[in-house]
Amino acid sequence: MSHTDEEMAGLIESNGSGLRTHEAHSARMYDYLLGGKDNYPADQEAAEGAVASFPTLRTAARENRAFLGRAVRYVVEETGISQFLDIGSGLPTAHNVHQVAQRHDPDARVVYVDNDPIVLTHGRALLSTDDRTTVIERDIRDPRSILEDPEAKALLDFSKPVAVLAVAILHFITDEENPGDIVAQLRAALAPGSVLVLSHATAEISPETALGVQSAYRRQGVPLTLRDRAELTKLFDGFELVEPGIQVVSDWRATVPESERPSHAEVSWYGGIGRLV
């Protein structure tokens, strides 16, 4: 089902006035960086402030999105997993997880999770004709609520392998909120053979520009904590890393020649997949 801009605006308005569109939100900022239309002046201002510090941030966002597509294809084609839990999914755009997964396995099922009510409104409108896909409004900081959500449990069978995607989300979790514990709670609910897909922004490659982005996000009230490769590796505790391990997202199982890829400094984003054995 498709909706015009006017119809979607009406859907958002009808779903209540507490959407806090005057405050920047990471999902809508990411939508803006990817060239989407589902964002607001506060999101645009915050994103442009980050771009001023890191001019290739749009390139980094696009490369992360491409990594997500390659990771989903890997999961379907090389592990046979047909269940996906996409946490921090953001606003629907082109080449969503369900589109990529169902291209390779028509029976693939996807539960999208985000804490922005606008994501819920858009997602439910766009996915209303697909009974293999749903979107729930939950927060990664409360993994138990995700795992026990009735819609998630109705669509996914956690007694069988599931692919958990936490792509470009854990860098919005502070050290005090303990991202390692969040991942551990998710891991404990997964069957052997399940996989974890992570990507995470870093200051390890280009410290000055990356830390400028971190400051720009935090000035707008959006928490951003950059972590290095060792810290990201720690988040995969209990999982066996899939080759080629943790790489800059533009390099992970890249499909274009190295000469055509952006430099690592232009991306400053790591990604990888771990498998529960």
Side-chain angles (χ1 to χ4, degrees), residues 262-273:
S263 69
H264 289 180
E266 291 176 293
V267 178
S268 290
W269 216 314
Y270 286 132
I273 295 182

Side-chain angles (χ1 to χ4, degrees), residues 99-154:
Q99 293 169 320
V100 177
Q102 291 171 2
R103 190 179 306 140
H104 301 284
D105 179 354
D107 295 323
R109 301 184 302 282
V110 180
V111 173
Y112 292 108
V113 183
D114 207 283
N115 68 353
D116 184 357
I118 292 179
V119 171
L120 185 72
T121 300
H122 280 254
R124 289 206 159 151
L126 293 170
L127 300 172
S128 59
T129 59
D130 186 348
D131 59 7
R132 298 159 301 171
T133 307
T134 192
V135 55
I136 61 175
E137 186 184 352
R138 299 288 182 181
D139 196 307
I140 194 172
R141 296 172 182 84
D142 186 4
R144 183 176 296 277
S145 73
I146 297 171
L147 297 165
E148 295 180 352
D149 183 272
E151 287 188 67
K153 292 171 69 175

Side-chain angles (χ1 to χ4, degrees), residues 33-83:
L33 292 169
L34 289 171
K37 299 183 296 181
D38 301 315
N39 48 76
Y40 296 86
D43 310 306
Q44 297 160 15
E45 179 182 352
E48 286 296 343
V51 170
S53 299
F54 192 177
T56 62
L57 186 56
R58 287 186 175 86
T59 297
R62 288 193 298 268
E63 291 297 329
N64 181 68
R65 190 72 182 176
F67 161 77
L68 173 62
R70 295 196 302 276
V72 170
R73 181 173 179 177
Y74 161 82
V75 170
V76 176
E77 291 190 337
E78 300 194 36
T79 74
I81 292 173
S82 60
Q83 306 187 103

